[in-house]
Amino acid sequence: MAPSGSRYSRERERMVERQIAARGVDDEDVLEAMRNVPREEFVAESLREFAYEDSPLPIEAGQTISQPYIVALMIEAAAIAPGDRVLEIGAGSGYAAAVMAQIARRVYAIERQPELGRVARERFERLGYDNIELKVGDGTRGWPDAAPFDAILAAAGGPEVPDVLLEQLAPGGRLVMPVGRNRESQSLVVVRKTGDRRFEQTELGAVRFVPLIGEHGWQDLTARAPAARRNEDIGVVIRDAAEALPALDSPEFGALFDRFGDARVVLLGEASHGTSEFYRARAAITRRLVEHHGFDIVAVEADWPDAASIDRYVRHRPALAGAPKAFQRFPTWMWRNTDVQAFVEWLRGYNTGKPKAQQAGFYGLDLYSLNSSIRAVLDYLDRVDPEAATVARQRYGCLTPWSKEPAAYGHMALTSGFALCEKAVVDTLQSLLDRHVEYARADGENFLDAAQNARLVANAEAYYRAMYYGSAESWNLRDTHMFDTLKLLLAAGGQKSRAVVWAHNSHIGDARRTEMGQVRGELNIGQLCRQEWGADAVPIGFGTHGGTVAAASDWDAPMQVMPVNPSLPDSCERQFHDAGVVPSLFDLRPGQRDALRERFEGSRLERYIGVVYRPDTERWSHYADSELSRQFDAWVWFDQTRAVTALAEGHAQGMPETYPFGV
Ligand code: SAH
């Protein structure tokens, strides 16, 4: 049937193993069928490289091809067996029908959108699926002429299971359908026909599908209210809620954020890693929180050892002998830019002459510094306990062969089935912590730094191994490490200690309110802070419509200043752009601007530009579904933004010799 042995077959094998079998689908027929259907043939040419990602993808007519795992889960739940006659409602791309056709005798598929129906039919023909019959029409009525069916699957969510569909089930037949009270979220329902009019119903949990539109489904909204009118309404709501931001360099800017001054943690996002306005706004807000509200920790999405040398600089402590220069690793512009430099200078000035307890510190939450952290632990032990240094050197030696490319270590651990260095790194951390009292007496502050580096090495070892199991697992380890680091910093600072976090929107907004958490099983710092501190953790998102951004076209490629595409028509960003507001703050907390909050409760596309930006495939590489007003407590909007200015190599002009960014 389907062509096999294509260059995608390895990706397909990995998809089945990591996204489907690993999540508990174990029906061999289903796994085999998923191994056989070339998913890349069911998406647009430009999207093929994303075909095996762990997510739904857009298809024509504003619809989606379901996430591979969900397709497998539904087919398993419907217990489709060889010889079965199956009805699918919402054929879309035709992918799920093709998977079912690998197992069942005959598949009847209905699709509402004529354009999709035509393309799917062509695919079936080209790929040789001759046991699928597709018609265009309203599937909520079923297909009475072809009934009864052994299984019925709906690939779109409706308000209830239509009776007409239950009537078309054969005795013992199964129906699987997303059912929910609103259009945006559903629970996956499985109904089994146990007798003539007898049914048993179970639920498989929360899912998100496009709406099922038809006689026994939802109404077609586009036919009632043209999109333009609905956008006009939202424009009024946005303009009403906008609080204009003062100039970035005016003290009034930070004052607008005084309302968040009582929080334990304020998390400041960014929609890219290279936009000047985001950095300057975060700096202005942070200055205010530090000067007027007692915040004493600035924790950023950067490596711990690099941030530690900045911390020494801002707190007027001498640099550690032999410490490498800060932020030499890709992406250097993220921290070596003029906006960060200005903030660091301000922080140093703020700390001048203050006793240690009243100073504010600068810390890194991330874990990409395996080598420099190993070196920092060894340097520390060389100074305080040369004997322990010898042991630690031996233990860390386990990782030395992989020091240039730690990902290769993860690969080795996976293929050999053995976490070779796990014990070594955990033991080093434990030995260090065991001597806490003794070391800390001799060298208090440096002990905390060394312990954090040892912790980082242990977590990084696990991170590189997890990279090979699946992206969600390594992402979760990384964000959990960042959150744990934040908690340790707050604990070390005592009861009154308060933190500002600078990290990307994708880390600080509540992941449970986005595609990350809802589709891919990913958590993030924002979510963990919410779970720990409730309303005392305040995530603030930042967005833009257009302008320029500093980014690379590939990992490790040189930085470029790129134009940012105008935001997409359906996105959150476009609503703010169309409203025509000046740079503004939007308070999204309950009880503040509820009309606005409600308009952004449902999910819409939101743009996430990273250190890599690919304008050509932007929709698929940089947008994800997000419920903006539940993801963030506030939204800071700059319609037009500019790229950051990276620091030139060599000393920045007029900087003191000790300046940590100097090379
Ligand atoms: N199984 C598909 C998923 C497509 S998304 C795949 O693997 O690609 C759901 C599809 O349901 C959309 O294409 C949408 O147009 C269609 N749809 C919504 N309401 C429908 C209805 N009443 N009858 C038939 N199709 C419907």
Side-chain angles (χ1 to χ4, degrees):
M1 244 189 221
S4 57
S6 72
R7 67 193 179 94
Y8 289 101
S9 59
R10 260 196 53 209
E11 285 188 48
R12 197 175 311 130
E13 190 60 45
R14 271 166 47 157
M15 165 192 87
V16 170
E17 186 187 316
R18 294 179 193 176
Q19 300 170 26
I20 299 173
R23 288 193 177 114
V25 173
D26 57 7
D27 181 324
E28 253 319 309
D29 285 343
V30 177
L31 297 178
E32 189 56 23
M34 300 289 296
R35 270 186 210 112
N36 283 334
V37 178
R39 185 169 162 92
E40 72 278 5
E41 297 284 349
F42 291 82
V43 297
E45 186 103 27
S46 59
L47 279 188
R48 292 202 167 162
E49 61 170 307
F50 306 104
Y52 293 96
E53 305 253 302
D54 190 13
S55 60
L57 290 172
I59 56 178
E60 297 77 2
Q63 303 300 316
T64 55
I65 173 172
S66 308
Q67 181 190 13
Y69 165 64
I70 290 290
V71 172
L73 178 73
M74 289 178 77
I75 299 176
E76 185 178 58
I80 294 174
D84 276 358
R85 293 158 49 80
V86 179
L87 172 66
E88 188 196 24
I89 299 160
S93 68
Y95 174 67
V99 176
M100 292 188 275
Q102 296 272 332
I103 310 172
R105 178 153 55 100
R106 194 149 192 88
V107 176
Y108 297 85
I110 310 178
E111 170 53 50
R112 181 178 166 263
Q113 305 270 5
E115 182 193 357
L116 292 175
R118 184 180 53 77
V119 178
R121 232 186 249 125
E122 278 169 18
R123 286 178 181 137
F124 297 148
E125 208 157 296
R126 184 159 43 84
L127 299 169
Y129 289 99
D130 50 15
N131 59 340
I132 306 176
E133 195 171 329
L134 184 143
K135 73 170 184 187
V136 170
D138 176 6
T140 63
R141 300 181 187 141
W143 192 324
D145 295 347
F149 302 101
D150 301 297
I152 299 178
L153 278 85
E160 60 193 7
V161 178
D163 284 339
V164 280
L165 295 183
L166 294 176
E167 283 160 21
Q168 293 177 31
L169 272 184
R174 293 80 51 194
L175 174 144
V176 181
M177 175 176 167
V179 177
R181 253 178 289 134
N182 60 45
R183 287 165 184 260
E184 275 86 34
S185 54
Q186 308 92 16
S187 172
L188 196 57
V189 166
V190 183
V191 183
R192 174 182 283 272
K193 194 169 195 168
T194 52
D196 190 16
R197 288 232 160 68
R198 305 233 321 266
F199 301 95
E200 262 173 31
Q201 184 170 325
T202 49
E203 285 190 25
L204 293 181
V207 285
R208 272 207 317 174
F209 280 80
V210 295
L212 181 71
I213 312 264
E215 189 185 337
H216 304 290
W218 298 105
Q219 270 188 345
D220 185 357
L221 283 183
T222 52
R224 286 194 326 170
R229 267 220 17 235
R230 283 185 286 132
N231 285 342
E232 196 180 278
D233 293 342
I234 203 171
V236 173
V237 174
I238 289 175
R239 284 192 293 277
D240 279 354
E243 297 178 57
L245 292 168
L248 275 161
D249 50 7
S250 109
E252 296 308 311
F253 190 100
L256 206 57
F257 294 78
D258 282 343
R259 70 193 80 184
F260 305 116
D262 290 336
R264 187 89 209 267
V265 180
V266 173
L267 303 110
L268 302 176
E270 56 181 350
S272 84
H273 281 313
T275 302
S276 177
E277 282 77 3
F278 299 157
Y279 279 95
R280 284 185 287 152
R282 297 194 296 185
I285 300 165
T286 306
R287 286 203 300 264
R288 182 79 185 184
L289 292 174
V290 169
E291 280 183 320
H292 294 264
H293 301 281
F295 282 67
D296 56 346
I297 292 169
V298 182
V300 306
E301 184 190 341
D303 291 332
W304 174 271
D306 301 69
S309 59
I310 305 288
D311 184 59
R312 289 181 164 274
Y313 177 71
V314 300
R315 295 207 280 128
H316 303 272
R317 300 174 65 215
L320 278 177
K325 295 287 187 288
F327 303 121
Q328 299 296 311
R329 167 182 81 71
F330 177 90
T332 50
W333 69 91
M334 221 176 121
W335 301 109
R336 289 176 54 88
N337 66 55
T338 52
D339 299 323
V340 172
Q341 181 184 33
F343 176 72
V344 166
E345 285 308 315
W346 172 82
L347 194 55
R348 182 174 156 93
Y350 171 82
N351 284 335
T352 306
K354 288 203 170 57
K356 191 178 153 276
Q358 283 170 31
Q359 292 180 340
F362 188 87
Y363 308 92
L365 299 175
D366 223 331
L367 51 52
Y368 287 122
S369 56
L370 185 63
N371 293 326
S372 43
S373 288
I374 287 180
R375 186 163 150 198
V377 174
L378 297 177
D379 284 351
Y380 172 78
L381 288 174
D382 279 339
R383 285 196 305 274
V384 302
D385 187 349
E387 243 169 74
T390 310
V391 178
R393 201 163 258 118
Q394 261 166 16
R395 285 174 172 159
Y396 281 158
C398 179
L399 284 167
T400 314
W402 288 278
S403 66
K404 285 231 169 65
E405 211 193 326
Y409 166 74
H411 185 61
M412 178 283 300
L414 182 80
T415 44
S416 70
F418 182 53
L420 185 65
C421 304
E422 184 181 23
K423 188 165 173 348
V425 295
V426 171
D427 286 351
T428 310
L429 170 62
Q430 200 52 53
S431 310
L432 200 67
L433 295 178
D434 286 347
R435 306 221 184 133
H436 177 176
V437 179
E438 184 187 327
Y439 289 166
R441 201 180 304 125
D443 194 354
E445 212 158 337
N446 289 333
F447 170 77
L448 289 181
D449 179 55
Q452 180 57 21
N453 277 308
R455 202 171 280 119
L456 189 152
V457 174
N459 287 341
E461 188 270 346
Y463 172 83
Y464 288 112
R465 270 190 289 121
M467 263 181 33
Y468 281 88
Y469 293 116
S471 53
E473 211 169 313
S474 53
W475 170 277
N476 290 352
L477 271 171
R478 180 175 167 218
D479 271 55
T480 305
H481 170 84
M482 295 207 264
F483 172 70
D484 288 344
T485 304
L486 178 65
K487 255 177 57 173
L488 282 166
L489 288 169
L490 283 163
Q495 283 281 310
K496 277 177 40 207
S497 190
R498 250 102 55 75
V500 190
V501 174
W502 292 18
H504 197 277
N505 282 349
S506 57
H507 291 295
I508 67 110
D510 188 334
R512 292 169 298 179
R513 299 307 188 177
T514 70
E515 197 179 305
M516 293 167 53
Q518 292 167 352
V519 176
R520 293 198 292 275
E522 291 170 354
L523 48 72
N524 65 5
I525 318 175
Q527 169 185 344
L528 295 170
C529 284
R530 263 278 194 267
Q531 289 168 334
E532 180 83 16
W533 294 294
D536 277 339
V538 175
I540 302 179
F542 289 65
T544 183
H545 169 70
T548 58
V549 68
S553 52
D554 269 306
W555 191 260
D556 265 342
M559 185 203 98
Q560 301 170 33
V561 173
M562 305 187 196
V564 174
N565 287 344
S567 58
L568 288 179
D570 297 331
S571 63
C572 300
E573 287 86 350
R574 182 53 83 83
Q575 315 307 315
F576 289 91
H577 173 70
D578 286 349
V581 284
V582 295
S584 300
L585 166 68
F586 296 91
D587 196 328
L588 298 170
R589 293 171 302 169
Q592 298 299 320
R593 309 278 178 169
D594 284 338
L596 178 77
R597 185 179 155 82
E598 279 160 27
R599 295 311 285 263
F600 285 94
E601 266 171 3
S603 71
R604 284 176 197 271
L605 294 177
E606 185 183 322
R607 180 160 56 193
Y608 299 83
I609 296 175
V611 288
V612 170
Y613 182 43
R614 302 248 178 90
D616 296 347
T617 56
E618 199 192 35
R619 164 63 185 86
W620 305 287
S621 20
H622 299 295
Y623 279 91
D625 273 334
S626 309
E627 301 168 274
L628 190 82
S629 57
R630 294 164 182 254
Q631 182 187 10
F632 301 117
D633 276 354
W635 178 245
V636 177
W637 175 251
F638 293 95
D639 194 76
Q640 294 297 317
T641 45
R642 283 187 306 104
V644 291
T645 305
L647 291 179
E649 292 292 306
H651 274 290
Q653 266 206 327
M655 296 305 299
E657 283 297 310
T658 49
Y659 191 69
F661 287 152
V663 287

